Amino acid sequence: MSDQDRARALRRRHVHERQAVVFGVLIAGLGVAGLGAAAMYTDNLSLPFFERGFSAKPTAAAESVAVYCPPEGALPVPNDQITVDVYNGAGTAGLARQTAQSLTGLGFVVGATDNAPSVSGVGRIVYGPAGSAAAYTLLAYLPDAVLQLADRADARIDLTVGSGFEGLLPPEQVVLDPATPLVGPSGCTPFSELTAATQDGEQADGGEQPADGEQPAEGEQPAEGDQPAG
């Protein structure tokens, strides 16, 4: 082989080596990016500058509001009829996912899982009037959680685990009897006061209805069939 042929062969080998290095770096970078994306998606990695949107964004601190008793005579709701959105307010990576798995194992239906602003204590259960019995049912598995009423129409509830969260109670330690009505904490506000306030607000928004027998305003035509008898 001539010197010229050897030089060409050497150049080709160097080109191939450079290409191999470039492609190797690209493949490695893609692999790292893929692992990072998977970790973020499964809640195993939490970045302080990355904040995802919430389906129902909890507040940072529980407000000092009245705790309403469960509806009178309300029974525990079967776990498989309760939908819970789980939020991580403890700052521990993967805690929302782990808690969601625990809830699923207990038969609850888990909706969204996400990060949340920092929450102190064991956690917070956010619910609307329609989800009162469901919230008290979940509270039996997390007795030290704070109940917080929200303005929502459905029975879905949120569980935000806080910095003091150590796990849900195992079923054998949960004090719930399917045939025994739920009981609220001492001093809780009767649920009837909540429903009464809600009804008063709806009537106020609905406007005033004319009383029976009230004559139509001047110039208003009577409805068909309301002509005076001959």
Side-chain angles (χ1 to χ4, degrees):
M1 178 183 295
S2 66
D3 293 340
Q4 189 176 9
D5 291 337
R6 281 195 294 270
R8 282 198 295 267
L10 184 60
R11 283 196 299 271
R12 284 196 297 269
R13 187 176 67 182
H14 288 167
V15 170
H16 292 161
E17 290 175 349
R18 286 196 299 270
Q19 290 175 342
V21 171
V22 171
F23 284 118
V25 171
L26 289 175
I27 292 173
L30 290 173
V32 171
L35 290 174
M40 290 295 295
Y41 181 77
T42 57
D43 201 21
N44 285 319
L45 179 64
S46 179
L47 298 179
F49 54 82
F50 183 80
E51 181 179 350
R52 289 178 286 177
F54 304 109
S55 60
K57 193 171 184 178
T59 55
E63 298 177 1
S64 178
V65 294
V67 175
Y68 287 94
C69 308
E72 185 176 357
L75 298 174
V77 180
N79 293 357
D80 60 1
Q81 296 180 19
I82 300 176
T83 299
V84 187
D85 293 339
V86 185
Y87 298 98
N88 182 358
T92 303
L95 190 57
R97 177 179 54 82
Q98 295 169 10
T99 305
Q101 291 174 347
S102 298
L103 288 168
T104 301
L106 293 169
F108 291 90
V109 178
V110 174
T113 59
D114 213 328
N115 294 319
S118 178
V119 171
S120 60
V122 170
R124 186 183 324 128
I125 298 173
V126 181
Y127 67 101
S132 179
Y136 271 97
T137 302
L138 178 60
L139 183 67
Y141 293 85
L142 199 62
D144 294 327
V146 175
L147 289 175
Q148 182 175 339
L149 185 69
D151 183 14
R152 59 174 57 165
D154 58 19
R156 174 180 50 87
I157 59 179
D158 298 344
L159 170 61
T160 303
V161 293
S163 55
F165 178 76
E166 296 181 353
L168 303 170
L169 288 181
E172 59 271 17
Q173 297 182 21
V174 175
V175 183
L176 276 181
D177 183 350
T180 301
L182 295 162
V183 178
S186 176
C188 62
T189 303
F191 186 79
S192 58
E193 294 188 15
L194 170 63
T195 54
T198 302
Q199 291 172 357
D200 290 343
E202 290 177 350
Q203 291 176 359
D205 293 339
E208 183 179 357
Q209 298 296 325
D212 290 340
E214 182 177 354
Q215 297 298 322
E218 183 178 354
E220 182 179 353
Q221 296 297 323
E224 183 177 353
D226 289 339
Q227 300 295 333

